[in-house]
Amino acid sequence: MEKLIITAAICGAEVTKEHNPAVPYTVEELVREAVSAYDAGAAIVHVHVREDDGTPTQSKERFRVCMEAIKAARPDVILLPSTGGAVGMTAEERLQPTELFPEMATLDCGTCNFGDEVFENTLPMMRDFGKRMIENNIKPEYECFEMGHLETALHLAAKGYVPGPPMQFNFVLGVPGCAAATVENLVWMVNRIPAGSTWTATGIGRSEFILAAHAIAMGGHVRVGFEDNLYLSRSVLAKSNGELVNKVVQMAKLLNREIATPAEARAILGLNP
Ligand code: KMH
Ligand code: ZN
């Protein structure tokens, strides 16, 4: 089986220090969390950034400073900035990190409920995001919160509006208002992806490690991190993103799945070495 790529979603836009004091806001805190995840075995760091007070931002300058600081600490890590940002941001606001020419960026695949809010990703928005990623030579990670999101990504790729196969999908299951984090849903989605494409599973909240176990066994890849889950085990807050990554590494060891280095992850994902 292919080596396991672990992505650490170290921050997100929604969780705060009130939920877990280790949630990073400042540049130094983001670097600390990225380094802890990388050193534990993450090849990819999914980056959201905050102002020092915790307010989510898509500021190009804030992304530049944070991503350069992470790269200075761990030069070979793959950075995957968010173009999802936080609910309510405009498309132009959200697209700012693509101006920094990252290797990868998220591309969210449809409008959906997101807890009590609506996360807007219309087809025109997706076409604009796809165009930007084609122009800037960025490999999208297609974020699918629903079955229909996967169909949308496939449809837009077939029309050439977004980069086509091989594609990297992230099946984010368990967001309140979206598809549940069940193995049936995961298997359904995995069975729909084009040959040669790759996929990652992200389980929200207490489903994080259950979905990770399925993905490890099925040959997919895994995302964990504070964006998705704050607990190492029941009622035990994780002290760092590294603790969450380490738990996946231990699970993979038990199932005889080796962990991909960033170089190996680049080869698996078809990124430039
Ligand atoms: N914060 C969510 C509304 C992404 O990074 O592309 C969207 C999100 C997805 O986190
Ligand atoms: Zn995100």
Side-chain angles (χ1 to χ4, degrees):
M1 221 182 253
E2 208 162 49
K3 289 193 180 180
L4 175 70
I5 303 172
I6 303 176
T7 299
I10 59 174
C11 177
E14 290 80 23
V15 291
T16 68
K17 288 188 190 294
E18 281 71 53
H19 299 115
N20 182 329
V23 170
Y25 296 165
T26 67
V27 180
E28 293 71 25
E29 289 169 348
L30 266 168
V31 173
R32 181 198 71 212
E33 287 307 308
V35 166
S36 83
Y38 174 98
D39 289 352
I44 303 179
V45 172
H46 171 48
V47 187
H48 285 254
V49 298
R50 309 286 186 97
E51 305 291 358
D52 284 350
D53 67 359
T55 309
T57 174
Q58 287 291 104
S59 154
K60 178 180 166 183
E61 282 319 305
R62 187 68 167 184
F63 264 100
R64 186 200 306 280
V65 170
C66 291
M67 295 206 300
E68 282 181 2
I70 294 171
K71 280 283 193 182
R74 295 294 181 271
D76 68 336
V77 68
I78 300 169
L79 295 182
L80 170 65
S82 173
T83 67
V87 167
M89 290 176 171
T90 65
E92 271 317 304
E93 207 177 349
R94 284 168 50 181
L95 275 168
Q96 289 178 79
T98 61
E99 294 166 22
L100 300 169
F101 302 94
E103 288 177 273
M104 300 182 76
T106 61
L107 202 164
D108 295 281
C109 295
T111 299
C112 54
N113 290 315
F114 206 87
D116 288 349
E117 300 179 292
V118 174
F119 184 31
E120 195 183 354
N121 297 287
T122 63
L123 291 178
M125 283 172 72
M126 286 187 66
R127 287 196 287 266
D128 285 348
F129 282 44
K131 184 166 178 282
R132 177 70 64 87
M133 295 201 198
I134 291 167
E135 283 167 1
N136 289 11
N137 194 25
I138 299 167
K139 184 175 175 94
E141 178 173 87
Y142 293 95
E143 311 294 312
C144 299
F145 301 86
E146 285 283 1
M147 278 55 183
H149 293 183
L150 173 52
E151 301 304 319
T152 304
L154 295 176
H155 170 75
L156 291 178
K159 298 266 180 207
Y161 288 121
V162 300
M167 300 157 82
Q168 158 62 14
F169 297 92
N170 180 17
F171 302 131
V172 184
L173 301 180
V175 171
C178 295
T182 63
V183 68
E184 290 84 359
N185 285 345
L186 182 63
V187 169
W188 188 93
M189 293 174 106
V190 171
N191 283 339
R192 289 283 298 137
I193 69 172
S197 289
T198 48
W199 62 275
T200 295
T202 298
I204 301 298
R206 69 190 64 176
S207 66
E208 179 163 82
F209 293 109
I210 295 169
L211 223 58
H214 288 304
I216 294 167
M218 288 164 66
H221 305 286
V222 171
R223 177 174 113 175
V224 291
F226 288 157
E227 177 165 349
D228 310 315
N229 164 51
L230 300 155
Y231 291 87
L232 188 58
S233 55
R234 202 183 183 129
S235 307
V236 180
L237 284 172
K239 292 191 181 68
S240 67
N241 278 276
E243 281 196 341
L244 299 172
V245 171
N246 179 57
K247 184 160 170 173
V248 176
V249 170
Q250 300 313 317
M251 290 164 64
K253 268 193 193 143
L254 289 172
L255 295 171
N256 284 325
R257 190 98 189 263
E258 288 181 72
I259 308 300
T261 63
E264 290 165 341
R266 283 189 177 88
I268 292 167
L269 295 168
L271 300 170
N272 290 329

